[in-house]
Amino acid sequence: MKELSWTDPEIRNELARLKQMKPFCYGLTNYIAANLSANVLLAVGAGPAIGTAMDWPSAFGGHAHAVWINAASLMSCGPDEIRLAAKSAHEGGVPWVLDPVAVGAGAVEYDAVVRSLLEFKPTAIRGNASELIALAGGDGGGQGVETTMTSDQAVPFLAKVAGEIGTIAAVSGAVDYITDGTTTYAVGGGDVRLTQVTGAGCSLGALMAGMLANAEDPIMAVVAAHAVYAEAANRAKSAIGTGNFAVAFLDQLSLMDPSEA
Amino acid sequence: MKELSWTDPEIRNELARLKQMKPFCYGLTNYIAANLSANVLLAVGAGPAIGTAMDWPSAFGGHAHAVWINAASLMSCGPDEIRLAAKSAHEGGVPWVLDPVAVGAGAVEYDAVVRSLLEFKPTAIRGNASELIALAGGDGGGQGVETTMTSDQAVPFLAKVAGEIGTIAAVSGAVDYITDGTTTYAVGGGDVRLTQVTGAGCSLGALMAGMLANAEDPIMAVVAAHAVYAEAANRAKSAIGTGNFAVAFLDQLSLMDPSEA
Amino acid sequence: MKELSWTDPEIRNELARLKQMKPFCYGLTNYIAANLSANVLLAVGAGPAIGTAMDWPSAFGGHAHAVWINAASLMSCGPDEIRLAAKSAHEGGVPWVLDPVAVGAGAVEYDAVVRSLLEFKPTAIRGNASELIALAGGDGGGQGVETTMTSDQAVPFLAKVAGEIGTIAAVSGAVDYITDGTTTYAVGGGDVRLTQVTGAGCSLGALMAGMLANAEDPIMAVVAAHAVYAEAANRAKSAIGTGNFAVAFLDQLSLMDPSEA
């Protein structure tokens, strides 16, 4: 397992490429996280569009530079629309990220729709420990959108998800882990208050899409999204309270400079 | 009528219990207030999930520690889903809060759905003066989601709502009043800028659910939600402008310590 | 072409009238921008209600003081609801603003719904350069909700939109332009970070509705919305990063005093 962080040049290179490309990223996400997800992408120079309005899932899903799909977008769209966006991305050769929010938390019809999206071969999957464990067929013990497990506990399941689905699997926690089933990376740092800012995990899925838009090495793009997120949280540590932390996190993200010494 | 505030130990005890339990709270709310509502619950240590995605209303509504339903969630779900969530909470013995946003403001089909939820016996109902007066059969004069009446004017109607429905009724205003039809509590303080932060009232409904999750004395839990809210607003008073006030309010909420002297 | 800014008394007069009237503004908008849009209106003293819940589109659309419709609200409502709100405003003599987000970006079914709203004679239309050019029948080159053109490039198309539709047309950019087809106004200033705060453009549509609620001279109301927005952004310039900029912008908007020397 290899540890990477913002101090490593390969991480900065990924952010530099994103900033140069300014990719158009299309997302389906839940309305709790939509605002933060868009602001995270805007902070690093990407151009986000979010939501399913008439034929947006096919028109934007198939033509964006990258797509992210947060399954809880089902709270404002139907299964056909979410599947159409995934299908359009897949058939259009557009890299896309799946965030299976709350999978395994007891909603069986919801879970079935989430699993049906795997047919469209997500480039990467991200979630918390309970979600990744559930996706691998384990008992994740998820409570709504919250995890009851640690990211360390999810590591063996992560490899299974990556191997069986043929994707890059990433779990967020005190330490984040990212694997393609062969190589596994660890990203430390961050701040526990990220878990007290609603939608912070969902918005990491958006940043992953931005990083994957034009990636030479997709797993490094996913690792970079996690490392950039962790570093922005580190730099926001002096904020007092969860309100200012969220604002400072976004500030720091917008100020991150890949060329800094 | 008894006045209570953060300085009273019974209020702090309620917050202490919430912080110890870290309840899973499921909410149906409108997408304007969803982000703040989740952040309010996260700030005090609860774990929120929001929205209707496939079978979430039954799966989460019947198994959460507490539920809150903001009727304006009808802007992204149908009447069947909102009724199913209320029914699931009621039948599962889960305490639940109803926020009848904009009832009595002229939308008769909407109002009918709101009233149909009373069948499922909400543990508590909260709103502004116009809404509570309308719910009691008076002319509330509501203008969209805004009140044109004072909380003082709503007090007689509040008792009627509590008595006829068999619930705890709470009205927000310059002074907040909470009654079960027999005993009435008043909570002062706060800051008028809370009315200039969209969703602040709706998010109080979420905090009420958190407080009710494991309450020994439900009315005290509801009073505590109001008193904690008012104190956090007091502590945010030095903020300049409505933007920073919202951030500082959330900060102060996250920093409130039930054990402080 | 006439340049106007906050220093001109006619601009301050428009804000003064809005603040005195405290209009009830009803909006259909997307859930990414809904929170900021409501907070922008609350910051200047208006009372917003947002969304389509049961019969809100007819009940509120026909009886509000002003209405704004952001076409991307189609991500949580259907074409019938958005058309009903526009029809209700039109038939009720309520001034209303159309924001044709992402029109011309490749979603043909979506675009058709947007164009169908022109039947209900919007009082004003606002958007970015790509959107206004597309609306005039040009090749706007829009990428999702982002523009690939400058506001200068949109000026000739702006006059065509205003003339053919019989509306006030406004384009946002480095310089904003507003025209009724005869007279054109320019508003400079602002801060490029407004384009990095999601929903800032959408929320300008909400402020336009507030200004139009009781306007003696509608084009001046629209110009004033742009000039007030630009001045609030100017005053927020010292903010570091995009997170604090958004907060400071809202603060400055809430602190703007039409009577200042």
Side-chain angles (χ1 to χ4, degrees):
Chain A
M1 195 177 303
K2 189 175 178 189
E3 282 187 48
L4 283 175
S5 75
W6 173 250
T7 57
D8 295 297
E10 50 266 63
I11 298 297
R12 297 185 188 191
N13 287 347
E14 297 294 324
L15 182 60
R17 193 176 46 221
L18 187 160
K19 280 182 174 281
Q20 192 175 355
M21 187 194 192
K22 300 178 187 301
F24 165 37
C25 301
Y26 176 57
L28 269 62
T29 191
N30 60 79
Y31 49 72
I32 301 111
N35 186 276
L36 183 60
S37 297
N39 278 335
V40 159
L41 283 171
L42 289 168
V44 294
I50 290 176
T52 58
M54 310 297 295
D55 53 341
W56 284 21
S58 55
F60 295 169
H63 295 94
H65 295 120
V67 167
W68 81 98
I69 297 181
N70 180 297
S73 59
L74 285 162
M75 64 180 65
S76 59
C77 76
D80 289 348
E81 290 164 289
I82 197 173
R83 283 176 53 83
L84 180 55
K87 184 171 184 278
S88 300
H90 177 53
E91 293 182 353
V94 177
W96 76 279
V97 176
L98 173 64
D99 187 336
V101 196
V103 73
V108 294
E109 294 171 26
Y110 171 84
D111 286 2
V113 176
V114 175
R115 286 181 190 282
S116 81
L117 297 173
L118 300 177
E119 170 189 352
F120 305 115
K121 302 286 173 197
T123 313
I125 298 178
R126 78 151 299 280
N128 63 34
S130 287
E131 292 155 356
L132 268 297
I133 292 170
L135 210 59
D139 179 8
Q143 207 172 46
V145 303
E146 305 286 334
T147 187
T148 60
M149 315 289 272
T150 67
S151 55
D152 284 349
Q153 292 174 297
V155 170
F157 298 89
L158 204 63
K160 193 175 171 216
V161 167
E164 288 182 0
I165 298 171
T167 190
I168 298 162
V171 64
S172 296
V175 176
D176 303 330
Y177 299 99
I178 300 99
T179 189
D180 57 8
T182 307
T183 313
T184 301
Y185 294 88
V187 173
D191 189 296
V192 70
R193 284 174 296 179
L194 269 183
T195 64
Q196 293 174 285
V197 175
T198 195
C202 305
S203 300
L204 174 54
L207 183 60
M208 283 166 61
M211 289 286 190
L212 283 166
N214 189 28
E216 290 169 17
D217 182 9
I219 194 170
M220 193 51 61
V222 173
V223 173
H226 286 76
V228 166
Y229 229 61
E231 178 67 12
N234 285 344
R235 295 180 181 191
K237 267 196 189 300
S238 64
I240 296 172
T242 56
N244 258 305
F245 175 77
V247 174
F249 170 70
L250 208 49
D251 277 342
Q252 293 301 331
L253 202 57
S254 74
L255 296 171
M256 286 180 79
D257 178 2
S259 67
E260 70 187 30
Chain B
M1 196 177 299
K2 189 175 178 187
E3 284 187 47
L4 283 176
S5 76
W6 174 250
T7 57
D8 295 296
E10 49 266 63
I11 298 298
R12 297 185 189 192
N13 287 346
E14 297 294 328
L15 182 60
R17 195 175 45 221
L18 186 160
K19 280 181 174 280
Q20 192 176 354
M21 188 194 192
K22 302 179 185 299
F24 165 36
C25 300
Y26 175 57
L28 269 61
T29 192
N30 61 78
Y31 49 72
I32 302 109
N35 187 276
L36 182 60
S37 297
N39 278 334
V40 159
L41 283 171
L42 288 168
V44 295
I50 291 177
T52 58
M54 310 297 295
D55 53 341
W56 283 21
S58 56
F60 295 168
H63 295 95
H65 296 120
V67 167
W68 81 99
I69 297 181
N70 181 296
S73 59
L74 285 162
M75 64 180 66
S76 58
C77 76
D80 288 350
E81 289 164 290
I82 195 173
R83 283 177 53 81
L84 180 56
K87 184 171 185 280
S88 300
H90 176 53
E91 293 181 353
V94 178
W96 74 280
V97 176
L98 174 63
D99 187 336
V101 196
V103 73
V108 295
E109 293 172 26
Y110 171 84
D111 286 3
V113 176
V114 174
R115 285 181 191 284
S116 81
L117 298 174
L118 300 177
E119 171 188 353
F120 304 114
K121 301 287 175 197
T123 313
I125 297 179
R126 78 152 299 280
N128 64 34
S130 286
E131 291 155 356
L132 268 297
I133 291 171
L135 209 60
D139 178 7
Q143 209 173 43
V145 303
E146 305 285 333
T147 187
T148 60
M149 317 289 271
T150 66
S151 55
D152 285 351
Q153 291 174 297
V155 169
F157 298 89
L158 204 64
K160 194 175 171 217
V161 166
E164 290 183 358
I165 299 170
T167 190
I168 298 163
V171 64
S172 296
V175 175
D176 302 331
Y177 298 99
I178 300 98
T179 190
D180 58 7
T182 305
T183 312
T184 301
Y185 295 88
V187 172
D191 188 297
V192 70
R193 283 173 296 178
L194 269 183
T195 64
Q196 294 173 286
V197 175
T198 196
C202 304
S203 301
L204 174 53
L207 183 59
M208 283 167 60
M211 290 285 192
L212 283 165
N214 189 28
E216 289 169 17
D217 183 8
I219 193 169
M220 194 51 61
V222 173
V223 173
H226 287 77
V228 166
Y229 230 61
E231 179 66 13
N234 286 343
R235 294 180 181 190
K237 266 195 190 303
S238 64
I240 295 173
T242 55
N244 258 304
F245 176 76
V247 175
F249 170 71
L250 208 50
D251 277 341
Q252 293 301 329
L253 203 57
S254 75
L255 296 171
M256 286 181 78
D257 177 2
S259 67
E260 72 186 30
Chain C
M1 196 177 301
K2 190 175 178 188
E3 283 187 47
L4 283 176
S5 76
W6 174 250
T7 58
D8 295 295
E10 51 267 61
I11 298 298
R12 297 185 188 191
N13 287 347
E14 297 295 326
L15 182 60
R17 195 176 41 223
L18 186 160
K19 280 181 173 281
Q20 192 176 355
M21 188 195 191
K22 300 179 187 301
F24 165 36
C25 301
Y26 175 57
L28 268 62
T29 192
N30 60 79
Y31 49 72
I32 301 111
N35 187 276
L36 182 60
S37 297
N39 278 335
V40 159
L41 283 171
L42 289 167
V44 294
I50 290 176
T52 58
M54 310 297 295
D55 53 342
W56 283 22
S58 55
F60 294 168
H63 295 95
H65 295 121
V67 167
W68 81 99
I69 297 181
N70 180 296
S73 59
L74 285 162
M75 65 181 65
S76 59
C77 76
D80 290 349
E81 290 165 289
I82 196 173
R83 283 177 52 82
L84 181 56
K87 184 171 185 278
S88 299
H90 177 53
E91 293 181 353
V94 177
W96 75 280
V97 176
L98 174 64
D99 187 336
V101 196
V103 72
V108 294
E109 293 171 26
Y110 172 84
D111 287 2
V113 177
V114 175
R115 286 181 190 281
S116 81
L117 298 174
L118 301 177
E119 171 189 352
F120 305 114
K121 302 285 173 197
T123 312
I125 296 178
R126 77 151 301 280
N128 64 35
S130 286
E131 290 155 356
L132 268 297
I133 292 170
L135 210 59
D139 178 7
Q143 207 173 45
V145 303
E146 305 285 335
T147 187
T148 60
M149 317 289 272
T150 68
S151 54
D152 285 350
Q153 292 174 297
V155 170
F157 297 90
L158 204 63
K160 193 173 172 219
V161 167
E164 288 182 359
I165 299 170
T167 191
I168 298 162
V171 63
S172 296
V175 176
D176 302 331
Y177 299 99
I178 300 99
T179 189
D180 57 8
T182 306
T183 312
T184 302
Y185 294 88
V187 172
D191 189 297
V192 71
R193 283 174 295 178
L194 270 183
T195 65
Q196 294 173 285
V197 175
T198 196
C202 305
S203 300
L204 174 54
L207 183 59
M208 283 167 60
M211 290 285 190
L212 283 165
N214 188 29
E216 290 170 15
D217 183 7
I219 194 170
M220 194 50 62
V222 173
V223 173
H226 287 76
V228 166
Y229 229 62
E231 179 66 12
N234 286 343
R235 295 180 181 190
K237 266 195 191 302
S238 63
I240 296 173
T242 57
N244 259 305
F245 175 77
V247 174
F249 171 70
L250 207 50
D251 277 341
Q252 293 301 330
L253 202 58
S254 75
L255 296 172
M256 286 181 80
D257 177 1
S259 67
E260 71 187 30

